[in-house]
Amino acid sequence: MTEFFHHTFGNGLTLVAEKMGGVRSAAFTLLIPAGAAQDPPGRGGVATMLVDLIFRGAGDRDSRQIMTDLDNLGLQRGEGVETVHTSLFAAVLADNLLPALELYADIVQRPHLPADEVDAVRALALQELQSIDDEPRQKIFIELRKRHYPYPFSRPTVGLSEVIESATHAELAEQHARGFRPTGAILGVAGDIDWPKLLDGVDRLFGGWAAGVSMPIEKGARGSRVDHIAQDAAQTQIGIAFNTVPYRHSEYFNAQGAVTVLSGGSSSRLFSEVREKRGLCYAVFATYHSLYDTGAVICYAGTTNERAQETLDVTMGEIRRLATTVEPAEVARAQAGLKASLIMQGESTSARSAAVAADWYHLGRVRSLSEMQAAIDSLSPKSIMDHLDRHPPSDFTIVTLGPKALEVGQPNN
Amino acid sequence: MKFEHKQLANGLEVIGEVNPDARSVAVGFLVRTGSRDETPDVNGVSHFLEHMVFKGTPRRSALDVNREFDEIGARYNAFTSEENTVFWGAVLPEYLPRLVDLMTDMLRPSLRGDDFDVEKKVILEEISMYQDQPMWSAYEGGMRAHFGVHPLGNSVLGSNESVGGLSCDQMRSYFDRRYVSGNMLVAVAGNVDWARFCELISSPVGAWPAGPPARAVAAAPGSGDVRVIPNHKIKQEHVVLMSSAPAAESHDRFAADVLTTAVGDGAGSRLFWELVDPGLAESAEMEYHEFNGAGMFMTYLCCEPDDAVANADRILKLYREVNTNNITDSELKQVKNKAAARIVLRSERPMGRLMPLGFNWLYRREYRTVDDDLQSLMSVTRDDVARVLAAHPLDRVTTVAVGPLETLSVETLRR
């Protein structure tokens, strides 16, 4: 059986935990409200450099000692910049959870931020940008989000090359002092945990972290709705985004149901119509993505240049058809898929640590398995159609990348 | 966890690892066939056939297959490598009978001509997609250069020409030879009632034609060549360095794993400190690949073209240092801690157990628990690593670069 716990400390940090049965590991996801959107105006890229620099020495350990100690704990980790958070993730055998958190307490609160390593961080960040340029499949998502979301949610989490080239040590140190604060931070933990011990440990390690002021996010303008990026490649990349309700909305499960009908499994509409019946491409899909107050469906298709127009037309046709009819059998399949995902996610401490942290951010609570199962059970063709009636796919952004622009028309008319 | 094994009259083996605490169950059908089993005129057929297996049977259309997987909420997929084609599905336990019915039927596909024609287009799209991924081009180019005429050098996807020219009859004949019971294995892991599973599976798979495992295994020492594949569409240089390593049948594979992690893990390894931490390369990682009768250490380097030669040079100097002085005691300890946690973490889900379970049987006819693997890992000594290094010096590399460079003149490559 799973049990949930949470506690918000005086400095604003929330610890939210799920105790899972039948596992030997524990995982944590720390969300710090210092994402790409909170980079200083015109300085997109500072956060992505900072998340590398904080691991290069912290507390009484130098860079090498940190890496050695992380390895000796057998810790699997990943960190990165997201739209509104810097996210630090780690999974360990359950006995090593508190020792791992002890290391992360130093990394987050007391990094050395060595000035002589900024150039190495810079070189890596610039090379990552070059690699993305070499991978059209990655690039299209960045370019699509850049145009679909309003500023600063549109900022690429990998930063901008001109900022990375010019960022100074002082700027990174200032961003750390300003942004790496417990106010609004969320530590999600899942696995074989002992709640009283965990609470005590986190209090000891993070309770003294000095509160800061939350960094304001001011919404700005959106990019162009239809765009083409010329690039010589074997395939044309097609990115389509449209708006739907956010994760916290009462109709979220209907929105998720609709996306699953469109692109949940291989009998879903996009896969059947674009790939299976017409053989137009290898990869075509749509996924749901949510910011705090707006949700979006992000669609992708990659296909050889001669077939790109037909791929775009068929994909757009399927998106528009979604609002006109949803069959009972399609909803039953979507329900089976969503439920299986839920239960299988419940076998993974890593996935659950990220899920409880995200739930806390979006909802201020954790959705239990039974609540989600009930919501999925209650989906019907009518509930999904009614939802699509109230919130039809809207605000389309269409970006293509390849040798030749496609006929897109006026998607928002 | 309990291990189970059964051999049917037609020679097909069925194995299981039963874990009543799991919430799901995963089933795999492993076929010992891949690009190394292909002749040049049908290169790519194993992978194309993997796609065609989802295209229906006398009882089911292609759309039926997709629909039924979705009806039971299955996670499922398939993959083809140089030497295996694997089909797997994971479901909640109550759907296991439907999953078994679907997958056993699916593995006797109709291979209809019109489906073949549509799917060929998808495969050609997949080939184009990979052409736009430089890391993949470097891997394929590397395999071809390293193994030369040895069939391990065959491309898994095949080329536009080989796939374009393939006929449905050629595929049927390949299927008849390779998808025989002696060349296949069924594995199940997770929350499963073994007796009930045997009842479900025995009748459909018991009817599959008998036939022996068939593969000629020749030595594959590696060429040591240097090749450059210029690609001016991309900005970074992608370099692979390949050398020989213990084969899948060798117990030295644990020592090879330890060596690989110490020298080339993504973080905290020799390559990491030498190249990635100082910002000289975006990636510099080493992997260990094991095959039937052959093994390969592969290093992948991604960096600015101007730095590629100097970086390859640094890597080879580092490899010579390791050849001479081995890894240190503290590296050995650190790697064991890291690798042990990896083994446990990936084993927590039935999907994570299925492949180790299946491959241990397919390659070595042995069942190994998570604790057996931990035990083998923990008992690796520096002497074991030294033995691997003596038999497989790290610097005897085949080198292939994909990117803006026209030539690659690495001083240390000239011995």
Side-chain angles (χ1 to χ4, degrees), chain B residues 39-165:
Chain B
T39 48
D41 58 320
V42 297
N43 182 211
V45 69
S46 308
H47 168 257
F48 191 169
L49 177 55
E50 170 220 308
H51 280 234
M52 287 302 293
V53 163
F54 289 89
K55 290 290 156 190
T57 70
R59 281 165 59 201
R60 289 175 167 95
S61 71
L63 294 176
D64 288 337
V65 171
N66 290 344
R67 182 177 46 72
E68 288 185 44
F69 271 119
D70 287 352
E71 280 172 359
I72 57 177
R75 308 290 94 164
Y76 69 99
N77 212 332
F79 59 87
T80 306
S81 68
E82 286 79 6
E83 46 191 34
N84 297 299
T85 308
V86 177
F87 303 85
W88 61 269
V91 288
L92 305 185
E94 65 261 38
Y95 291 122
L96 184 63
R98 285 192 64 190
L99 181 71
V100 168
D101 177 58
L102 174 57
M103 291 188 80
T104 51
D105 184 36
M106 193 178 104
L107 276 148
R108 296 290 116 187
S110 294
L111 304 179
R112 290 178 275 253
D114 46 349
D115 292 327
F116 180 91
D117 295 338
V118 173
E119 199 59 20
K120 188 183 270 192
K121 292 197 258 178
V122 174
I123 304 283
L124 294 172
E125 284 296 339
E126 193 177 354
I127 293 172
S128 296
M129 178 183 90
Y130 279 108
Q131 278 169 1
D132 282 342
Q133 296 179 26
M135 194 197 316
W136 177 259
S137 306
Y139 174 77
E140 276 224 317
M143 291 294 281
R144 206 157 38 237
H146 183 63
F147 289 109
V149 294
H150 189 284
L152 275 172
N154 291 352
S155 160
V156 173
L157 291 177
S159 63
N160 281 323
E161 294 70 36
S162 68
V163 171

Side-chain angles (χ1 to χ4, degrees), chain A residues 24-25 56 71-72 74 76 124 127 130-131 133-134 234-235 266-267 276 304 307 340-341 344 347, chain B residues 23-24 55 66 70 73 75-76 125 129 132 235-236 277 279 282 334 337-338 341-342 345 348-349:
Chain A
R24 289 157 80 175
S25 70
R56 296 176 182 244
D71 277 357
N72 278 325
Q76 293 193 17
L124 289 175
Q127 290 189 58
Q130 296 234 330
S131 290
D133 252 356
D134 286 352
Q235 287 195 312
S266 47
S267 68
E276 299 294 86
T304 36
R307 298 200 276 167
S341 294
M344 291 189 203
E347 292 176 326
Chain B
R23 302 179 204 199
S24 63
K55 290 290 156 190
N66 290 344
D70 287 352
R75 308 290 94 164
Y76 69 99
E125 284 296 339
M129 178 183 90
D132 282 342
K235 294 179 182 158
Q236 296 279 84
D277 180 74
E282 190 200 351
Q334 186 178 338
N337 287 334
K338 176 152 65 174
R342 265 180 206 170
L345 286 167
E348 279 189 344
R349 312 175 72 179

Side-chain angles (χ1 to χ4, degrees), chain A residues 30-53:
Chain A
L30 175 60
L31 299 178
I32 301 171
Q38 293 99 326
D39 269 342
R43 302 302 292 162
V46 171
T48 196
M49 291 178 76
L50 186 57
V51 76
D52 179 340
L53 195 60

